[in-house]
Amino acid sequence: MTTVPDWLFSPLSASFSAYHRQILLVSGENDWVFNALQAFMAEKPPSATVAWVGTEAYDAAPDWLTQIKPLAQYKQLLGSEFDFVILNCLDSFRLNAMAAIAGTIHAGGTFILLVPPIASWPSHPSVIQPHFLSHGWSIEQSHYIRFMLSTLLNSPHVGLLTASRHTLPVPTKANDADRPNTQFTTPCQQLAFTQVVKAQDAGTRCIALLAKRGRGKSTTLGFLAAHFANRAMRIAVTSSSRAQTTNLFVAAGHYLNDDATDIVWYALDNPSLDSADIDVLIIDEAASVPVPLLIRLISKHPFVILASTTDGYEGSGQGFREKVMTKQAILAFTLETPVRWHNHDPLEHVIDSLLFQSTPLTPLPKDIFNTNTQISYAITPLDNTTEELYSQIMALLRHAHYQTTPDDIVRFIDTPNNKVCLAFANNTLVAAAILEYEGGPVLGELSHDIASGKRRVKGHLTAQALALMTANPQFATLCSLRINRIAVHPNARRQGIGQGLIAHTRQSCAIEKTDLITVSFGATDELRRFWEKSGFTRLKQGTKIDKSSGLASDIYAMAVSPLGKDTLGMLFQTTSVNTHLARIRQFCEGTRGISHLYDTPLWLVGRISDELLSTVLNGLLAKQNLTEISENAGFRNKKEMIGYTKTSLEVFITENKA
């Protein structure tokens, strides 16, 4: 029988490793798992690199470990490569981390997952107290973990080690193990390099280099940086962290001439990014950069390369695609062939399956919508859907450009206050809306604290926002259903199906005695028209720009029950004096932020004579950020401005005997 050390370490002996990557599940009670791991990793070759992600298990780090990162810091490993990555899932689990760090393992390496006993993992404390659970709700088991275990244990490429079981599949050789001994590992990489150079020579201002993880994006960027530096051009690189550009600088170093110009890294908040003379600016993981900053940097420099992974782990969202790529008409080159591992890699296939990325969007017949088409709707708990149907739902959401992260997948399936409304055309899924219950009795005891700004609990997004805006605790206790996501197949749009989803949801809410249906979205004129046409009314206009979408989020609502209608009616009345005074008092007491005074500054402006305070209030009304308001009013900083405003409004409250 093959031993675990032989199974793990023998694939590393081949040049570039002729073998595919492997997965090993080590399952059991904590002490047994850590002892078993120590026993076989102690035999690893001295040159093999090992990264540990998660809670540390040993009093002193074993000498076989190369790097250790807490779960929250897993992104610091991105851009690095390892022979082995160990993910400690014994006390917590994050699919974001698992999906991302799997991409740091190169060919012949192994992803080692440390998990609780298999039979009890779906109901283990590490997964039934997730970070996303809304206040007042609980779960008894993770349906996602149950699905994940089924996927892993049914895969012929996953090894399993328990106290009583030892299953190690035969390591598989890759068909494309022979790689050219040249600068470029794949023809795809060379083609992208050539296209980017030609684009710069032709005077193109900005291009994008996109790739799934492991396609050699960082290395290609390094080759490009060296090429332009060898032409005496001034090269700058920026990213959210210096560590993620390590491979870029290593690759560049191999091809820099002695007389090449320096390649300089800048932090994203470095003012020199705007003022420095830069010929070529490389922005790594551009999808995670705030949209306004991206647009400004593109306008400042003669040639900008936007690089980003397309897996969605770095915050890729619709803002990058629509506000930057589409609106700026940026040409994109995509690296398709893996470099860090081989084609048909088993680990990548397993990760794609766990992320429901193996299912493409279902094509629809051109004539599917006609007089004989049967449109039907259904509402069901997400954990009650089949794997095939859930994959189709996720394909719809991806195509709708939602910023859906791996963690969101777990949240959708495991959140007990989630449901999904589905639309079918002749039994083919054409649209889906993810629905989330909010507010109600679970917020009853905290409703006054929420309305005053003293408390903010997990989840209940619109229920808490409306209670805080109105200083009315009743909004927290209304039973609401928020439309979290809605997606319609691109070939099924303009058929009234989106509005059909909403109408069916409303019917269901009326039966369940739900008070309100709410929605919060990055507001555009087109989306506002859609929701208003569907019977929704805007309750709150957003002012804070989301860095991913580049948009401020509005809150809209539709009343369902008589109580919901009465409460919304109160909202559209002129804000009462008592509400204004309550907001001011809560601000002075420190429970309500200055940005949550809503229309109270407008009410105050005509009632005060303090010119400095008027400048602050008018700044709030003009939607200026707090730094701008402070500077315009002559304060040294935001803290001083807020302190002065509180002191002045305390006087106002006293004079008005509130």
Side-chain angles (χ1 to χ4, degrees), residues 462 466 475 478 480-483 515-521 531-532 534-540 554-560 564 568 571-572:
T462 55
L466 294 176
F475 271 97
L478 289 177
S480 304
L481 186 70
R482 178 166 63 91
I483 300 176
D515 298 309
L516 295 177
I517 302 174
T518 64
V519 63
S520 176
F521 58 91
W531 289 107
E532 288 166 5
S534 301
F536 284 74
T537 304
R538 184 169 67 192
L539 305 186
K540 178 184 175 185
D554 286 358
I555 294 179
Y556 276 61
M558 172 195 290
V560 180
L568 285 191
L571 186 63
F572 294 119

PDB file of all heavy atoms in Angstrom, residues 462 466 475 478 480-483 515-521 531-532 534-540 554-560 564 568 571-572:
ATOM      1  N   THR A 462     -32.314  46.429   5.038  1.00  0.00           N
ATOM      2  CA  THR A 462     -33.268  47.513   4.816  1.00  0.00           C
ATOM      3  C   THR A 462     -34.095  47.801   6.065  1.00  0.00           C
ATOM      4  O   THR A 462     -34.457  48.955   6.317  1.00  0.00           O
ATOM      5  CB  THR A 462     -34.198  47.185   3.631  1.00  0.00           C
ATOM      6  OG1 THR A 462     -34.845  45.925   3.846  1.00  0.00           O
ATOM      7  CG2 THR A 462     -33.417  47.108   2.337  1.00  0.00           C
ATOM      8  N   LEU A 466     -34.134  51.681   7.383  1.00  0.00           N
ATOM      9  CA  LEU A 466     -35.359  52.475   7.442  1.00  0.00           C
ATOM     10  C   LEU A 466     -35.674  52.900   8.872  1.00  0.00           C
ATOM     11  O   LEU A 466     -36.143  54.020   9.108  1.00  0.00           O
ATOM     12  CB  LEU A 466     -36.525  51.689   6.844  1.00  0.00           C
ATOM     13  CG  LEU A 466     -36.420  51.410   5.334  1.00  0.00           C
ATOM     14  CD1 LEU A 466     -37.580  50.542   4.864  1.00  0.00           C
ATOM     15  CD2 LEU A 466     -36.383  52.717   4.550  1.00  0.00           C
ATOM     16  N   PHE A 475     -40.268  50.404  12.036  1.00  0.00           N
ATOM     17  CA  PHE A 475     -39.738  49.892  10.775  1.00  0.00           C
ATOM     18  C   PHE A 475     -38.872  48.654  10.991  1.00  0.00           C
ATOM     19  O   PHE A 475     -38.767  47.803  10.118  1.00  0.00           O
ATOM     20  CB  PHE A 475     -38.932  50.979  10.056  1.00  0.00           C
ATOM     21  CG  PHE A 475     -39.762  51.832   9.146  1.00  0.00           C
ATOM     22  CD1 PHE A 475     -40.242  53.054   9.571  1.00  0.00           C
ATOM     23  CD2 PHE A 475     -40.092  51.402   7.872  1.00  0.00           C
ATOM     24  CE1 PHE A 475     -41.022  53.844   8.748  1.00  0.00           C
ATOM     25  CE2 PHE A 475     -40.874  52.174   7.034  1.00  0.00           C
ATOM     26  CZ  PHE A 475     -41.345  53.406   7.474  1.00  0.00           C
ATOM     27  N   LEU A 478     -41.380  45.542  11.399  1.00  0.00           N
ATOM     28  CA  LEU A 478     -42.201  45.094  10.280  1.00  0.00           C
ATOM     29  C   LEU A 478     -41.596  43.832   9.686  1.00  0.00           C
ATOM     30  O   LEU A 478     -40.373  43.696   9.599  1.00  0.00           O
ATOM     31  CB  LEU A 478     -42.275  46.172   9.198  1.00  0.00           C
ATOM     32  CG  LEU A 478     -43.096  47.435   9.489  1.00  0.00           C
ATOM     33  CD1 LEU A 478     -42.969  48.399   8.324  1.00  0.00           C
ATOM     34  CD2 LEU A 478     -44.549  47.083   9.730  1.00  0.00           C
ATOM     35  N   SER A 480     -40.422  42.043   6.743  1.00  0.00           N
ATOM     36  CA  SER A 480     -40.050  42.441   5.390  1.00  0.00           C
ATOM     37  C   SER A 480     -39.429  41.279   4.634  1.00  0.00           C
ATOM     38  O   SER A 480     -38.848  40.365   5.228  1.00  0.00           O
ATOM     39  CB  SER A 480     -39.051  43.602   5.432  1.00  0.00           C
ATOM     40  OG  SER A 480     -39.554  44.692   6.153  1.00  0.00           O
ATOM     41  N   LEU A 481     -39.537  41.348   3.314  1.00  0.00           N
ATOM     42  CA  LEU A 481     -38.850  40.395   2.445  1.00  0.00           C
ATOM     43  C   LEU A 481     -38.037  41.220   1.461  1.00  0.00           C
ATOM     44  O   LEU A 481     -38.590  42.011   0.684  1.00  0.00           O
ATOM     45  CB  LEU A 481     -39.846  39.512   1.693  1.00  0.00           C
ATOM     46  CG  LEU A 481     -39.225  38.381   0.866  1.00  0.00           C
ATOM     47  CD1 LEU A 481     -38.635  37.311   1.777  1.00  0.00           C
ATOM     48  CD2 LEU A 481     -40.260  37.742  -0.061  1.00  0.00           C
ATOM     49  N   ARG A 482     -36.714  41.092   1.525  1.00  0.00           N
ATOM     50  CA  ARG A 482     -35.842  41.878   0.634  1.00  0.00           C
ATOM     51  C   ARG A 482     -35.446  41.051  -0.575  1.00  0.00           C
ATOM     52  O   ARG A 482     -35.038  39.888  -0.440  1.00  0.00           O
ATOM     53  CB  ARG A 482     -34.586  42.348   1.377  1.00  0.00           C
ATOM     54  CG  ARG A 482     -33.620  43.142   0.478  1.00  0.00           C
ATOM     55  CD  ARG A 482     -32.579  43.873   1.305  1.00  0.00           C
ATOM     56  NE  ARG A 482     -31.730  42.989   2.053  1.00  0.00           N
ATOM     57  CZ  ARG A 482     -30.557  42.503   1.601  1.00  0.00           C
ATOM     58  NH1 ARG A 482     -30.126  42.807   0.385  1.00  0.00           N
ATOM     59  NH2 ARG A 482     -29.840  41.705   2.374  1.00  0.00           N
ATOM     60  N   ILE A 483     -35.563  41.629  -1.743  1.00  0.00           N
ATOM     61  CA  ILE A 483     -35.088  40.980  -2.966  1.00  0.00           C
ATOM     62  C   ILE A 483     -33.584  41.225  -3.051  1.00  0.00           C
ATOM     63  O   ILE A 483     -33.129  42.328  -3.330  1.00  0.00           O
ATOM     64  CB  ILE A 483     -35.822  41.523  -4.210  1.00  0.00           C
ATOM     65  CG1 ILE A 483     -37.327  41.261  -4.081  1.00  0.00           C
ATOM     66  CG2 ILE A 483     -35.264  40.878  -5.479  1.00  0.00           C
ATOM     67  CD1 ILE A 483     -38.157  41.837  -5.214  1.00  0.00           C
ATOM     68  N   ASP A 515     -45.258  42.310   5.605  1.00  0.00           N
ATOM     69  CA  ASP A 515     -45.689  43.709   5.550  1.00  0.00           C
ATOM     70  C   ASP A 515     -45.120  44.463   4.351  1.00  0.00           C
ATOM     71  O   ASP A 515     -45.822  45.241   3.706  1.00  0.00           O
ATOM     72  CB  ASP A 515     -45.267  44.432   6.834  1.00  0.00           C
ATOM     73  CG  ASP A 515     -45.921  43.824   8.064  1.00  0.00           C
ATOM     74  OD1 ASP A 515     -47.154  43.670   8.054  1.00  0.00           O
ATOM     75  OD2 ASP A 515     -45.188  43.489   9.013  1.00  0.00           O
ATOM     76  N   LEU A 516     -43.831  44.245   4.077  1.00  0.00           N
ATOM     77  CA  LEU A 516     -43.155  45.004   3.026  1.00  0.00           C
ATOM     78  C   LEU A 516     -42.298  44.097   2.168  1.00  0.00           C
ATOM     79  O   LEU A 516     -41.763  43.086   2.645  1.00  0.00           O
ATOM     80  CB  LEU A 516     -42.215  46.069   3.625  1.00  0.00           C
ATOM     81  CG  LEU A 516     -42.769  47.234   4.432  1.00  0.00           C
ATOM     82  CD1 LEU A 516     -41.619  48.081   4.946  1.00  0.00           C
ATOM     83  CD2 LEU A 516     -43.706  48.080   3.583  1.00  0.00           C
ATOM     84  N   ILE A 517     -42.151  44.446   0.894  1.00  0.00           N
ATOM     85  CA  ILE A 517     -41.093  43.889   0.049  1.00  0.00           C
ATOM     86  C   ILE A 517     -40.132  45.030  -0.218  1.00  0.00           C
ATOM     87  O   ILE A 517     -40.550  46.130  -0.620  1.00  0.00           O
ATOM     88  CB  ILE A 517     -41.642  43.343  -1.280  1.00  0.00           C
ATOM     89  CG1 ILE A 517     -42.694  42.261  -1.032  1.00  0.00           C
ATOM     90  CG2 ILE A 517     -40.508  42.769  -2.125  1.00  0.00           C
ATOM     91  CD1 ILE A 517     -43.380  41.780  -2.303  1.00  0.00           C
ATOM     92  N   THR A 518     -38.852  44.825   0.022  1.00  0.00           N
ATOM     93  CA  THR A 518     -37.860  45.887  -0.151  1.00  0.00           C
ATOM     94  C   THR A 518     -36.769  45.437  -1.109  1.00  0.00           C
ATOM     95  O   THR A 518     -36.606  44.245  -1.385  1.00  0.00           O
ATOM     96  CB  THR A 518     -37.220  46.277   1.196  1.00  0.00           C
ATOM     97  OG1 THR A 518     -36.486  45.148   1.714  1.00  0.00           O
ATOM     98  CG2 THR A 518     -38.267  46.703   2.208  1.00  0.00           C
ATOM     99  N   VAL A 519     -36.028  46.404  -1.584  1.00  0.00           N
ATOM    100  CA  VAL A 519     -34.886  46.111  -2.445  1.00  0.00           C
ATOM    101  C   VAL A 519     -33.888  47.249  -2.309  1.00  0.00           C
ATOM    102  O   VAL A 519     -34.270  48.417  -2.133  1.00  0.00           O
ATOM    103  CB  VAL A 519     -35.324  45.937  -3.924  1.00  0.00           C
ATOM    104  CG1 VAL A 519     -35.914  47.229  -4.485  1.00  0.00           C
ATOM    105  CG2 VAL A 519     -34.150  45.471  -4.793  1.00  0.00           C
ATOM    106  N   SER A 520     -32.616  46.929  -2.331  1.00  0.00           N
ATOM    107  CA  SER A 520     -31.545  47.925  -2.328  1.00  0.00           C
ATOM    108  C   SER A 520     -30.632  47.609  -3.496  1.00  0.00           C
ATOM    109  O   SER A 520     -30.226  46.461  -3.688  1.00  0.00           O
ATOM    110  CB  SER A 520     -30.769  47.862  -1.004  1.00  0.00           C
ATOM    111  OG  SER A 520     -29.684  48.765  -1.029  1.00  0.00           O
ATOM    112  N   PHE A 521     -30.309  48.623  -4.301  1.00  0.00           N
ATOM    113  CA  PHE A 521     -29.521  48.362  -5.516  1.00  0.00           C
ATOM    114  C   PHE A 521     -28.705  49.587  -5.889  1.00  0.00           C
ATOM    115  O   PHE A 521     -29.037  50.719  -5.518  1.00  0.00           O
ATOM    116  CB  PHE A 521     -30.455  47.979  -6.674  1.00  0.00           C
ATOM    117  CG  PHE A 521     -31.504  49.014  -7.002  1.00  0.00           C
ATOM    118  CD1 PHE A 521     -31.258  50.009  -7.937  1.00  0.00           C
ATOM    119  CD2 PHE A 521     -32.731  48.996  -6.372  1.00  0.00           C
ATOM    120  CE1 PHE A 521     -32.213  50.970  -8.220  1.00  0.00           C
ATOM    121  CE2 PHE A 521     -33.703  49.953  -6.644  1.00  0.00           C
ATOM    122  CZ  PHE A 521     -33.443  50.945  -7.580  1.00  0.00           C
ATOM    123  N   TRP A 531     -37.966  49.296 -11.198  1.00  0.00           N
ATOM    124  CA  TRP A 531     -38.573  49.055  -9.890  1.00  0.00           C
ATOM    125  C   TRP A 531     -39.829  49.904  -9.695  1.00  0.00           C
ATOM    126  O   TRP A 531     -40.803  49.444  -9.085  1.00  0.00           O
ATOM    127  CB  TRP A 531     -37.551  49.302  -8.780  1.00  0.00           C
ATOM    128  CG  TRP A 531     -36.506  48.234  -8.757  1.00  0.00           C
ATOM    129  CD1 TRP A 531     -35.204  48.334  -9.166  1.00  0.00           C
ATOM    130  CD2 TRP A 531     -36.682  46.867  -8.357  1.00  0.00           C
ATOM    131  NE1 TRP A 531     -34.554  47.135  -9.041  1.00  0.00           N
ATOM    132  CE2 TRP A 531     -35.437  46.214  -8.545  1.00  0.00           C
ATOM    133  CE3 TRP A 531     -37.754  46.143  -7.862  1.00  0.00           C
ATOM    134  CZ2 TRP A 531     -35.251  44.871  -8.246  1.00  0.00           C
ATOM    135  CZ3 TRP A 531     -37.568  44.795  -7.558  1.00  0.00           C
ATOM    136  CH2 TRP A 531     -36.334  44.185  -7.751  1.00  0.00           C
ATOM    137  N   GLU A 532     -39.818  51.118 -10.215  1.00  0.00           N
ATOM    138  CA  GLU A 532     -41.012  51.955 -10.090  1.00  0.00           C
ATOM    139  C   GLU A 532     -42.160  51.399 -10.931  1.00  0.00           C
ATOM    140  O   GLU A 532     -43.324  51.411 -10.506  1.00  0.00           O
ATOM    141  CB  GLU A 532     -40.671  53.392 -10.484  1.00  0.00           C
ATOM    142  CG  GLU A 532     -39.791  54.088  -9.434  1.00  0.00           C
ATOM    143  CD  GLU A 532     -39.157  55.376  -9.935  1.00  0.00           C
ATOM    144  OE1 GLU A 532     -39.479  55.797 -11.077  1.00  0.00           O
ATOM    145  OE2 GLU A 532     -38.325  55.962  -9.203  1.00  0.00           O
ATOM    146  N   SER A 534     -42.610  48.376 -11.460  1.00  0.00           N
ATOM    147  CA  SER A 534     -43.036  47.146 -10.777  1.00  0.00           C
ATOM    148  C   SER A 534     -43.811  47.428  -9.504  1.00  0.00           C
ATOM    149  O   SER A 534     -44.152  46.495  -8.772  1.00  0.00           O
ATOM    150  CB  SER A 534     -41.812  46.277 -10.464  1.00  0.00           C
ATOM    151  OG  SER A 534     -41.115  45.930 -11.646  1.00  0.00           O
ATOM    152  N   GLY A 535     -44.061  48.695  -9.201  1.00  0.00           N
ATOM    153  CA  GLY A 535     -44.887  49.032  -8.050  1.00  0.00           C
ATOM    154  C   GLY A 535     -44.127  49.461  -6.813  1.00  0.00           C
ATOM    155  O   GLY A 535     -44.728  49.608  -5.740  1.00  0.00           O
ATOM    156  N   PHE A 536     -42.807  49.679  -6.926  1.00  0.00           N
ATOM    157  CA  PHE A 536     -42.000  50.072  -5.773  1.00  0.00           C
ATOM    158  C   PHE A 536     -41.866  51.596  -5.706  1.00  0.00           C
ATOM    159  O   PHE A 536     -41.919  52.286  -6.726  1.00  0.00           O
ATOM    160  CB  PHE A 536     -40.606  49.445  -5.853  1.00  0.00           C
ATOM    161  CG  PHE A 536     -40.574  47.982  -5.509  1.00  0.00           C
ATOM    162  CD1 PHE A 536     -41.073  47.037  -6.394  1.00  0.00           C
ATOM    163  CD2 PHE A 536     -40.044  47.549  -4.302  1.00  0.00           C
ATOM    164  CE1 PHE A 536     -41.041  45.685  -6.088  1.00  0.00           C
ATOM    165  CE2 PHE A 536     -40.010  46.200  -3.985  1.00  0.00           C
ATOM    166  CZ  PHE A 536     -40.516  45.272  -4.877  1.00  0.00           C
ATOM    167  N   THR A 537     -41.632  52.094  -4.504  1.00  0.00           N
ATOM    168  CA  THR A 537     -41.440  53.524  -4.262  1.00  0.00           C
ATOM    169  C   THR A 537     -40.107  53.733  -3.555  1.00  0.00           C
ATOM    170  O   THR A 537     -39.763  52.975  -2.642  1.00  0.00           O
ATOM    171  CB  THR A 537     -42.573  54.089  -3.381  1.00  0.00           C
ATOM    172  OG1 THR A 537     -43.824  53.819  -4.010  1.00  0.00           O
ATOM    173  CG2 THR A 537     -42.412  55.592  -3.189  1.00  0.00           C
ATOM    174  N   ARG A 538     -39.403  54.767  -3.981  1.00  0.00           N
ATOM    175  CA  ARG A 538     -38.102  55.016  -3.351  1.00  0.00           C
ATOM    176  C   ARG A 538     -38.298  55.580  -1.953  1.00  0.00           C
ATOM    177  O   ARG A 538     -39.019  56.555  -1.752  1.00  0.00           O
ATOM    178  CB  ARG A 538     -37.267  55.987  -4.191  1.00  0.00           C
ATOM    179  CG  ARG A 538     -35.869  56.189  -3.615  1.00  0.00           C
ATOM    180  CD  ARG A 538     -34.951  56.917  -4.567  1.00  0.00           C
ATOM    181  NE  ARG A 538     -35.371  58.301  -4.780  1.00  0.00           N
ATOM    182  CZ  ARG A 538     -34.875  59.077  -5.733  1.00  0.00           C
ATOM    183  NH1 ARG A 538     -33.974  58.582  -6.572  1.00  0.00           N
ATOM    184  NH2 ARG A 538     -35.290  60.323  -5.872  1.00  0.00           N
ATOM    185  N   LEU A 539     -37.605  54.950  -0.993  1.00  0.00           N
ATOM    186  CA  LEU A 539     -37.656  55.395   0.392  1.00  0.00           C
ATOM    187  C   LEU A 539     -36.388  56.123   0.805  1.00  0.00           C
ATOM    188  O   LEU A 539     -36.417  56.978   1.678  1.00  0.00           O
ATOM    189  CB  LEU A 539     -37.869  54.207   1.339  1.00  0.00           C
ATOM    190  CG  LEU A 539     -39.083  53.312   1.068  1.00  0.00           C
ATOM    191  CD1 LEU A 539     -39.214  52.281   2.171  1.00  0.00           C
ATOM    192  CD2 LEU A 539     -40.348  54.131   0.943  1.00  0.00           C
ATOM    193  N   LYS A 540     -35.278  55.749   0.195  1.00  0.00           N
ATOM    194  CA  LYS A 540     -34.003  56.360   0.579  1.00  0.00           C
ATOM    195  C   LYS A 540     -33.114  56.448  -0.651  1.00  0.00           C
ATOM    196  O   LYS A 540     -32.911  55.458  -1.351  1.00  0.00           O
ATOM    197  CB  LYS A 540     -33.310  55.522   1.666  1.00  0.00           C
ATOM    198  CG  LYS A 540     -31.955  56.064   2.086  1.00  0.00           C
ATOM    199  CD  LYS A 540     -31.270  55.136   3.099  1.00  0.00           C
ATOM    200  CE  LYS A 540     -29.869  55.618   3.418  1.00  0.00           C
ATOM    201  NZ  LYS A 540     -29.140  54.678   4.293  1.00  0.00           N
ATOM    202  N   ASP A 554     -29.853  52.922  -3.640  1.00  0.00           N
ATOM    203  CA  ASP A 554     -31.168  53.380  -3.200  1.00  0.00           C
ATOM    204  C   ASP A 554     -31.889  52.234  -2.490  1.00  0.00           C
ATOM    205  O   ASP A 554     -31.588  51.060  -2.717  1.00  0.00           O
ATOM    206  CB  ASP A 554     -32.028  53.814  -4.389  1.00  0.00           C
ATOM    207  CG  ASP A 554     -31.589  55.150  -4.973  1.00  0.00           C
ATOM    208  OD1 ASP A 554     -30.647  55.767  -4.429  1.00  0.00           O
ATOM    209  OD2 ASP A 554     -32.184  55.568  -5.990  1.00  0.00           O
ATOM    210  N   ILE A 555     -32.863  52.593  -1.649  1.00  0.00           N
ATOM    211  CA  ILE A 555     -33.763  51.607  -1.055  1.00  0.00           C
ATOM    212  C   ILE A 555     -35.172  51.896  -1.559  1.00  0.00           C
ATOM    213  O   ILE A 555     -35.657  53.028  -1.455  1.00  0.00           O
ATOM    214  CB  ILE A 555     -33.732  51.647   0.480  1.00  0.00           C
ATOM    215  CG1 ILE A 555     -32.363  51.205   1.009  1.00  0.00           C
ATOM    216  CG2 ILE A 555     -34.817  50.741   1.060  1.00  0.00           C
ATOM    217  CD1 ILE A 555     -32.244  51.252   2.525  1.00  0.00           C
ATOM    218  N   TYR A 556     -35.807  50.877  -2.113  1.00  0.00           N
ATOM    219  CA  TYR A 556     -37.187  50.965  -2.586  1.00  0.00           C
ATOM    220  C   TYR A 556     -38.027  49.965  -1.811  1.00  0.00           C
ATOM    221  O   TYR A 556     -37.501  48.965  -1.298  1.00  0.00           O
ATOM    222  CB  TYR A 556     -37.274  50.642  -4.081  1.00  0.00           C
ATOM    223  CG  TYR A 556     -36.981  51.807  -5.013  1.00  0.00           C
ATOM    224  CD1 TYR A 556     -35.754  52.448  -5.008  1.00  0.00           C
ATOM    225  CD2 TYR A 556     -37.951  52.249  -5.916  1.00  0.00           C
ATOM    226  CE1 TYR A 556     -35.483  53.502  -5.865  1.00  0.00           C
ATOM    227  CE2 TYR A 556     -37.696  53.300  -6.782  1.00  0.00           C
ATOM    228  CZ  TYR A 556     -36.466  53.922  -6.754  1.00  0.00           C
ATOM    229  OH  TYR A 556     -36.212  54.963  -7.607  1.00  0.00           O
ATOM    230  N   ALA A 557     -39.331  50.220  -1.743  1.00  0.00           N
ATOM    231  CA  ALA A 557     -40.212  49.295  -1.027  1.00  0.00           C
ATOM    232  C   ALA A 557     -41.590  49.263  -1.660  1.00  0.00           C
ATOM    233  O   ALA A 557     -42.025  50.209  -2.327  1.00  0.00           O
ATOM    234  CB  ALA A 557     -40.323  49.684   0.442  1.00  0.00           C
ATOM    235  N   MET A 558     -42.278  48.155  -1.428  1.00  0.00           N
ATOM    236  CA  MET A 558     -43.676  47.975  -1.834  1.00  0.00           C
ATOM    237  C   MET A 558     -44.432  47.466  -0.613  1.00  0.00           C
ATOM    238  O   MET A 558     -44.020  46.486   0.021  1.00  0.00           O
ATOM    239  CB  MET A 558     -43.766  46.943  -2.974  1.00  0.00           C
ATOM    240  CG  MET A 558     -45.199  46.542  -3.324  1.00  0.00           C
ATOM    241  SD  MET A 558     -45.245  45.034  -4.325  1.00  0.00           S
ATOM    242  CE  MET A 558     -44.586  45.628  -5.876  1.00  0.00           C
ATOM    243  N   ALA A 559     -45.512  48.140  -0.261  1.00  0.00           N
ATOM    244  CA  ALA A 559     -46.324  47.709   0.873  1.00  0.00           C
ATOM    245  C   ALA A 559     -47.187  46.523   0.469  1.00  0.00           C
ATOM    246  O   ALA A 559     -47.716  46.470  -0.640  1.00  0.00           O
ATOM    247  CB  ALA A 559     -47.196  48.852   1.354  1.00  0.00           C
ATOM    248  N   VAL A 560     -47.329  45.566   1.365  1.00  0.00           N
ATOM    249  CA  VAL A 560     -48.155  44.380   1.115  1.00  0.00           C
ATOM    250  C   VAL A 560     -49.343  44.354   2.069  1.00  0.00           C
ATOM    251  O   VAL A 560     -50.491  44.235   1.651  1.00  0.00           O
ATOM    252  CB  VAL A 560     -47.326  43.090   1.248  1.00  0.00           C
ATOM    253  CG1 VAL A 560     -48.197  41.865   0.987  1.00  0.00           C
ATOM    254  CG2 VAL A 560     -46.138  43.107   0.283  1.00  0.00           C
ATOM    255  N   GLY A 564     -48.143  47.602   6.639  1.00  0.00           N
ATOM    256  CA  GLY A 564     -47.075  48.091   5.784  1.00  0.00           C
ATOM    257  C   GLY A 564     -47.475  49.367   5.062  1.00  0.00           C
ATOM    258  O   GLY A 564     -46.682  50.315   4.949  1.00  0.00           O
ATOM    259  N   LEU A 568     -45.624  52.993   5.603  1.00  0.00           N
ATOM    260  CA  LEU A 568     -45.035  53.721   4.482  1.00  0.00           C
ATOM    261  C   LEU A 568     -45.695  55.085   4.320  1.00  0.00           C
ATOM    262  O   LEU A 568     -45.040  56.068   3.961  1.00  0.00           O
ATOM    263  CB  LEU A 568     -45.171  52.918   3.187  1.00  0.00           C
ATOM    264  CG  LEU A 568     -44.248  51.723   2.996  1.00  0.00           C
ATOM    265  CD1 LEU A 568     -44.345  51.213   1.560  1.00  0.00           C
ATOM    266  CD2 LEU A 568     -42.805  52.067   3.315  1.00  0.00           C
ATOM    267  N   LEU A 571     -44.068  57.523   6.367  1.00  0.00           N
ATOM    268  CA  LEU A 571     -42.750  57.899   5.861  1.00  0.00           C
ATOM    269  C   LEU A 571     -42.838  59.037   4.857  1.00  0.00           C
ATOM    270  O   LEU A 571     -41.946  59.887   4.778  1.00  0.00           O
ATOM    271  CB  LEU A 571     -42.083  56.672   5.220  1.00  0.00           C
ATOM    272  CG  LEU A 571     -40.634  56.836   4.758  1.00  0.00           C
ATOM    273  CD1 LEU A 571     -39.734  57.120   5.946  1.00  0.00           C
ATOM    274  CD2 LEU A 571     -40.162  55.580   4.055  1.00  0.00           C
ATOM    275  N   PHE A 572     -43.920  59.084   4.085  1.00  0.00           N
ATOM    276  CA  PHE A 572     -44.029  60.094   3.039  1.00  0.00           C
ATOM    277  C   PHE A 572     -44.654  61.394   3.532  1.00  0.00           C
ATOM    278  O   PHE A 572     -44.778  62.345   2.780  1.00  0.00           O
ATOM    279  CB  PHE A 572     -44.838  59.533   1.850  1.00  0.00           C
ATOM    280  CG  PHE A 572     -44.135  58.407   1.170  1.00  0.00           C
ATOM    281  CD1 PHE A 572     -44.705  57.142   1.112  1.00  0.00           C
ATOM    282  CD2 PHE A 572     -42.879  58.584   0.623  1.00  0.00           C
ATOM    283  CE1 PHE A 572     -44.047  56.093   0.498  1.00  0.00           C
ATOM    284  CE2 PHE A 572     -42.215  57.547   0.007  1.00  0.00           C
ATOM    285  CZ  PHE A 572     -42.796  56.292  -0.061  1.00  0.00           C
TER     286      PHE A 572
END
